[in-house]
Amino acid sequence: MTYTADPASSAPLQRCAWCESDAAMRDYHDHEWGFATLDDTALFEKLCLESFQSGLSWRTILNKRAGFRAAFADFDFAKIAQFTAADTERLLADAAIVRHRGKIEATLNNARRAQDIVAEYGSLAAFFWPFAPRTAKQDSTIPSVTAESTALSKALKQRGWAFFGPTTAYAFMQASGMVNDHAPHCHVHAQAEATRVQALAQQSWAAR
């Protein structure tokens, strides 16, 4: 799902500083980053891309996102779970993605672990969203790790997930709207928070 600012306003839009470098980054910021994500395929994509981003710039990953989607079956984890060693070698030869063996193998492994979670919880969203903080942030500081991201990383590690430490977990929580790190002055801050609150209202998602 994407989100759009009020088209009736002619005032210059204020954004988070990190996205102002180019149009693609601004578009991602305005329509995706920090908005509540509940679709399992979208969640798995964000999880994988944040894992691939480790040690690289987000711009690099965003510029390669179409290549990642083509290479990884549009992040359909049921399909990725069927990938073989031959697929790993294919992916390592694909210049359209980040060719890192450890991250590629982790993606295949995590797709299988994602199936396990869906079998147990019904959806990835039902597993991930209870790790979201229940209250809105009260300041504009942006940490790299939190108690919630550490707990999420630990829970996934116990389930056999790979390449998903606390820092990557927090970046995933930001991207999927589990936390709202849009700056207070940002034109989509309130809209992103509204989607987060709505997602948290799901009665079946008790806080972990």
Side-chain angles (χ1 to χ4, degrees):
M1 184 177 293
T2 60
Y3 300 84
T4 306
D6 181 4
S9 174
S10 60
L13 296 178
Q14 294 188 348
R15 295 182 172 90
C16 303
W18 62 263
C19 75
E20 293 289 12
S21 59
D22 62 50
M25 292 282 280
R26 288 192 295 274
D27 186 70
Y28 173 70
H29 166 276
D30 287 359
H31 304 302
E32 296 183 60
W33 189 77
F35 290 94
T37 304
L38 303 178
D39 177 78
D40 277 2
T41 301
L43 284 169
F44 189 72
E45 175 180 305
K46 290 179 185 294
L47 185 152
C48 293
L49 293 181
E50 293 296 344
S51 296
F52 272 100
Q53 188 269 334
S54 179
L56 302 170
S57 71
W58 179 249
R59 185 184 295 105
T60 296
I61 301 302
L62 192 60
N63 288 342
K64 287 180 174 286
R65 182 162 66 168
F68 274 110
R69 286 173 172 171
F72 285 100
D74 288 324
F75 289 99
D76 181 333
F77 51 87
K79 293 181 180 178
I80 298 171
Q82 303 302 314
F83 282 14
T84 65
D87 289 297
T88 298
E89 297 307 314
R90 169 182 61 82
L91 293 165
L92 284 168
D94 190 344
I97 67 170
V98 174
R99 293 176 287 181
H100 184 292
R101 181 178 291 274
K103 294 176 181 180
I104 290 170
E105 291 177 345
T107 300
L108 274 57
N109 169 76
N110 294 347
R112 297 166 189 133
R113 304 291 77 76
Q115 289 185 304
D116 295 340
I117 285 178
V118 171
E120 182 175 350
Y121 287 86
S123 69
L124 294 183
F127 176 83
F128 285 119
W129 269 89
F131 288 93
R134 315 316 276 183
T135 57
K137 289 182 64 176
Q138 301 301 312
D139 58 55
S140 59
T141 60
I142 299 180
S144 59
V145 174
T146 64
E148 292 86 359
S149 75
T150 299
L152 174 56
S153 173
K154 181 178 179 180
L156 290 177
K157 184 177 181 180
Q158 290 174 339
R159 290 174 170 273
W161 291 62
F163 244 100
F164 201 74
T167 300
T168 299
Y170 190 71
F172 164 74
M173 294 172 78
Q174 289 176 302
S176 61
M178 292 171 66
V179 294
N180 179 14
D181 272 338
H182 283 282
H185 67 268
C186 179
H187 75 98
V188 294
H189 179 277
Q191 193 175 14
E193 182 62 20
T195 68
R196 196 183 81 88
V197 170
Q198 184 177 16
L200 288 171
Q202 298 286 339
Q203 294 183 355
S204 61
W205 297 345
R208 292 195 193 281

